[in-house]
Amino acid sequence: MIFPMQRREVIAVVASTAALALLAGLPLADDGFWLALAISIASYVAMATAWALFSGPTNYVSLATAAFFGSGAYVVSALAETAPWPVVLVAAALVGALLALATGLATLRLSGVYFVIFSFGLAELIRQLVTYYQTQVTGSVGRYIFVTISASEIYWQLLGLCAIALFTGWAIQRSRLGFALRVIGDDETVAAHSGIDTARVKVLLFCISGALIALVGAVMAPRFTYIEPQIAYNPMVSFQVVIMALLGGSKRLWGPLVGVIPFVLLHEWIAGRFPNHTHLLLGMVFLLVVYFVPQGVSGWLEKAWRRIRGESA
Amino acid sequence: MRKNLIGTLAVSAALMAAGFVHAQEIKSIKIGTAAAKTGPGAGGAGVTHWPNVKLWVAQVNKGGGILLKSAGNKRVPVELIEYDDRSSNDDAVKAIERLATQDKADFIIAPWGTGANLATAPVFAKYGYPQIAVTSVTDKGPELAKRWPNSFWLLGGGQHMAGSLVDLLKKMNAEGKIGKKVAMVHVADGYGLDMVAGARPALKAAGFDVVYDKSYPLGTQDLSPIVNEIKGLGPDAFIAFSYPPDTFGFTEQSKIAGFNPKVFYVGVGGAFPVYRNKFTAATIEGVMGTGGWDVASPKIQDYIKAHKEANNGGEPDAWASSVQYAALEMLQQAIERVGSLDRAAVTKELGSGEFDTVIGKLKLKGNVRENPWAVGQWQGGSFYGLAPTNLPGAHAPVLKPAWK
């Protein structure tokens, strides 16, 4: 790294490496329900962190997550039986980045609600294009993915993606790019006047974020066995990622992490106990969260941490 | 000698006690199920999955439960554990894992929909649960059964269903009832594409003159241009491989345009009771649709009555509902024949045994149900199975009268 690391950062790196090693051992303890739950959590941590890489500092709320996720899954359906797995992953990341590049160039000059609406439309547009291609060219919408990748292997790959997403976020934060992003997030006009090429910075970030989400889609695809556009481009993915990231707090790199874990556990707990009223209860919990923890879990944790230190000091 | 006697008594008492304890252990048979209660799949699962699961559990428990030899030849009631998969395949996988490892369900009912059944198939296989998949239309049944020998596929595929329809048309043509002109339209999605892929070569081989063969995108609202264009071509048979909203749309538009071919066939939704209730029995007289059953059989009549009672007057649809119920009957009979909750033995029995169900005698071949119903027709307010024409209870087709 260009800058020497501070002591706090060294501790953070050592601690997260240890945590990662510990988490990687999970499939040895249980390869059933808990592993399935861990796969859910890891996939959403990776996606929400990647989402927050772009949307956190720039304040551009993107609902295009499903577009990247689905495209990654489709790359697998097209290549998995002919190409080696690492090649498939690289292709998925490239497709995600190119998709972000094309849409970013066209739209990142939009701001606020216009961008939100466009990004939501993007997932739908891609889904229709894939459907059109499949109906007109291949003559079948559904695709079978018969690759033998175990649940444990999917989980390890997702853990790797989480680590990459967090590391990328950390590296960006301490680079010139990160500084430029923070200026854009605070005031885009000021950023432009200070000589920052705002469009370029935003597009670059969007590409990194899109590539990571496409990778999550690719890694998750073998778990579905069968995909069709409705399954791959599920808009719920976009919404859940935003909700989880905002619940955690998108201003901190580790914010999405502390949002995803309680969200998935709570969702699972409510779904198990009250299968007929899941959404009703979840909605009520959200209302309470927004009311009592408006700054997100990360903000709340930081406040609590400061209070503890303040009292003990 | 005395010592021996006491010893024997003690041993047999211990054995009896063990047997007694064992018999007491099974208080209920845990049956798990996960399907959509919310999301895009909720509508379909609400027609074919949930009402039949509910009906079956109520019926079984009314009779005391499932007869188990291993539980001292007693009937053991069924305890249903249900989850909502929120129409997401990732959640479906999680829910099946949960049923298998956390709830330790004795058996698990296959989920609703092609995608969910395929996504969860590896999980069913991993834990050795039989998976009797009903609501998944696939031509790959034999291949899937080979991949997962514990999976069973009951609803057939597009090849068979479209082939049966063409056979029926061929027969009507040979009898001089209809001419050779066919107009065919399909929705550009899974079901439509599978069906048209089966229908095209079959129509060609049978020497039909296909005057119209186009697709329309999923969710098309205005179908009047298609109907008007086809009306101008004057076909003898109109075939629409459509989804429920378009099935209703084609019917409505054809009635408005006065398009009245001798054969009027619609896809999914044509066999739903709500279709008849919307248009009235007189209007849809002679309309053909995907699905079918032997509606006149006493078993189906009893089933319809029981289904209505258990579901606040809700009628079953004439395609997948009765098959879903039959799948659950198969499971019960297989468990009773094996006499215990041994999943491997039950799976074996499902593949090899013959079962007496609401849809008649059912015996799978290579884990796939051969020759399922493909085409039915509304006659006097009831949906009768027409094709395959060699099935017991198959009705003779009538030519469609003018719209009323």
Side-chain angles (χ1 to χ4, degrees):
Chain A
M1 282 293 111
I2 308 160
F3 307 100
M5 282 206 282
Q6 294 170 1
R7 205 170 133 239
R8 275 180 60 183
E9 286 175 325
V10 176
I11 293 171
V13 167
V14 172
S16 37
T17 312
L20 202 64
L22 196 69
L23 285 170
L26 177 93
L28 305 176
D30 180 81
D31 66 347
F33 172 69
W34 296 110
L35 179 60
L37 191 63
I39 285 176
S40 259
I41 292 178
S43 73
Y44 275 109
V45 166
M47 283 198 285
T49 307
W51 179 89
L53 283 186
F54 169 74
S55 295
T58 59
N59 288 327
Y60 277 65
V61 172
S62 160
L63 288 176
T65 308
F68 299 117
F69 181 85
S71 302
Y74 260 96
V75 168
V76 174
S77 84
L79 298 180
E81 279 169 38
T82 47
W85 188 241
V87 175
V88 176
L89 289 183
V90 170
L94 276 178
V95 166
L98 285 175
L99 188 62
L101 179 69
T103 51
L105 285 176
T107 61
L108 283 176
R109 285 162 218 274
L110 297 174
S111 62
V113 73
Y114 301 103
F115 178 76
V116 180
I117 299 292
F118 175 84
S119 66
F120 182 60
L122 178 68
E124 190 59 26
L125 175 76
I126 304 283
R127 185 178 112 182
Q128 294 298 342
L129 285 176
V130 171
T131 308
Y132 180 82
Y133 173 80
Q134 290 198 307
T135 52
Q136 302 300 322
V137 182
T138 60
S140 158
V141 174
R143 292 193 76 116
Y144 296 84
I145 303 171
F146 290 140
V147 287
T148 41
I149 293 181
S150 71
S152 307
E153 286 163 341
I154 290 176
Y155 172 70
W156 286 321
Q157 291 181 71
L158 288 171
L159 274 190
L161 283 177
C162 291
I164 292 172
L166 286 167
F167 177 79
T168 311
W170 174 76
I172 288 173
Q173 266 184 7
R174 45 186 302 159
S175 69
R176 283 168 60 96
L177 182 64
F179 184 63
L181 273 169
R182 281 196 292 279
V183 179
I184 293 173
D186 285 342
D187 192 323
E188 200 160 338
T189 319
V190 169
H193 277 279
S194 331
I196 296 172
D197 186 345
T198 57
R200 217 188 83 195
V201 169
K202 286 188 290 183
V203 169
L204 188 62
L205 241 290
F206 200 43
C207 287
I208 295 172
S209 166
L212 281 169
I213 297 171
L215 274 171
V216 177
V219 169
M220 285 294 278
R223 205 162 167 69
F224 297 152
T225 314
Y226 170 87
I227 59 168
E228 52 185 37
Q230 259 170 309
I231 294 170
Y233 297 97
N234 182 354
M236 282 305 287
V237 171
S238 304
F239 289 116
Q240 291 202 354
V241 163
V242 174
I243 292 170
M244 289 176 191
L246 293 182
L247 174 67
S250 59
K251 296 292 170 203
R252 289 276 170 273
L253 187 58
W254 47 274
L257 181 78
V258 293
V260 170
I261 295 171
F263 182 96
V264 174
L265 291 179
L266 186 71
H267 203 159
E268 205 50 42
W269 185 77
I270 292 178
R273 291 290 157 91
F274 312 99
N276 292 314
H277 308 98
T278 310
H279 284 78
L280 180 74
L281 290 172
L282 204 63
M284 275 161 44
V285 171
F286 280 153
L287 287 179
L288 294 176
V289 166
V290 171
Y291 192 77
F292 289 107
V293 196
Q295 69 279 65
V297 176
S298 63
W300 180 77
L301 283 176
E302 279 185 342
K303 214 162 124 189
W305 176 242
R306 273 199 300 273
R307 198 176 304 146
I308 291 165
R309 280 172 68 99
E311 276 165 12
S312 59
Chain B
M1 181 68 195
R2 206 176 146 190
K3 207 173 167 187
N4 242 351
L5 187 71
I6 290 171
T8 317
L9 273 173
V11 168
S12 39
L15 278 173
M16 269 173 71
F20 184 69
V21 166
H22 188 65
Q24 283 286 297
E25 259 174 18
I26 310 174
K27 283 216 176 71
S28 67
I29 298 176
K30 285 196 228 168
I31 305 276
T33 178
K37 284 174 188 273
T38 53
V47 172
T48 49
H49 188 90
W50 294 113
N52 288 297
V53 169
K54 208 171 131 191
L55 169 64
W56 178 73
V57 171
Q59 298 275 60
V60 169
N61 286 344
K62 210 166 77 185
I66 297 179
L67 188 65
L68 278 188
K69 236 178 265 155
S70 67
N73 224 10
K74 270 196 309 197
R75 292 201 169 269
V76 182
V78 164
E79 178 197 341
L80 187 73
I81 308 166
E82 49 183 322
Y83 294 124
D84 177 10
D85 72 13
R86 303 165 220 152
S87 305
S88 140
N89 292 339
D90 184 38
D91 281 316
V93 170
K94 229 184 323 177
I96 302 296
E97 287 271 11
R98 187 191 191 119
L99 286 167
T101 63
Q102 301 301 299
D103 302 315
K104 310 235 182 290
D106 295 305
F107 290 93
I108 302 174
I109 300 168
W112 182 90
T114 309
N117 267 302
L118 283 159
T120 57
V123 186
F124 277 92
K126 182 165 88 177
Y127 298 109
Y129 282 86
Q131 177 184 18
I132 315 174
V134 176
T135 39
S136 45
V137 175
T138 171
D139 283 319
K140 287 196 189 261
E143 199 180 310
L144 298 173
K146 221 169 276 163
R147 195 175 178 86
W148 299 296
N150 59 314
S151 69
F152 305 91
W153 307 85
L154 262 54
L155 208 57
Q159 297 277 335
H160 162 80
M161 288 197 291
S164 297
L165 172 63
V166 175
D167 284 345
L168 180 72
L169 295 179
K170 213 160 95 182
K171 203 173 155 212
M172 292 173 79
N173 175 257
E175 289 166 0
K177 288 182 181 154
I178 59 167
K180 290 242 161 192
K181 254 192 195 180
V182 174
M184 182 165 66
V185 61
H186 67 275
V187 61
D189 201 60
Y191 161 83
L193 290 160
D194 278 359
M195 292 293 275
V196 87
R200 269 188 201 129
L203 284 168
K204 202 175 162 202
F208 280 100
D209 174 22
V210 181
V211 293
Y212 186 97
D213 178 4
K214 282 184 193 163
S215 71
Y216 59 91
L218 186 67
T220 301
Q221 298 287 326
D222 184 11
L223 301 164
S224 56
I226 301 175
V227 170
N228 290 331
E229 191 182 342
I230 292 178
K231 190 192 173 196
L233 298 166
D236 297 287
F238 168 72
I239 300 170
F241 296 124
S242 50
Y243 276 149
D246 344 326
T247 294
F248 284 77
F250 278 120
T251 309
E252 184 93 55
Q253 279 305 322
S254 301
K255 194 184 163 195
I256 292 169
F259 170 51
N260 199 56
K262 291 184 180 123
V263 170
F264 188 89
Y265 172 97
V266 286
V268 186
F272 291 1
V274 57
Y275 179 73
R276 179 199 57 210
N277 297 346
K278 182 178 185 236
F279 290 108
T280 75
T283 300
I284 56 160
E285 178 66 19
V287 169
M288 293 186 193
T290 302
W293 53 4
D294 181 8
V295 72
S297 77
K299 275 193 176 157
I300 289 285
Q301 284 298 328
D302 287 348
Y303 163 69
I304 294 174
K305 208 173 135 228
H307 187 284
K308 276 183 172 171
E309 272 165 22
N311 294 291
N312 303 324
E315 273 182 72
D317 81 287
W319 184 16
S321 274
S322 55
V323 184
Q324 177 63 62
Y325 190 78
L328 296 166
E329 287 182 306
M330 276 176 75
L331 179 64
Q332 179 182 2
Q333 289 168 25
I335 296 172
E336 290 185 346
R337 279 178 209 167
V338 169
S340 74
L341 301 174
D342 177 352
R343 286 193 284 271
V346 170
T347 305
K348 205 173 149 218
E349 178 60 27
L350 284 168
S352 58
E354 187 182 69
F355 301 91
D356 192 17
T357 71
V358 284
I359 58 170
K361 295 260 187 276
L362 196 53
K363 186 169 171 27
L364 306 182
K365 200 171 166 193
N367 288 15
V368 175
R369 173 173 161 231
E370 285 190 310
N371 219 23
W373 284 104
V375 186
Q377 185 176 42
W378 289 101
Q379 297 177 4
S382 284
F383 195 81
Y384 289 90
L386 299 184
T389 48
N390 59 355
L391 280 176
H395 259 231
V398 297
L399 295 183
K400 190 190 172 309
W403 293 106
K404 283 206 183 73

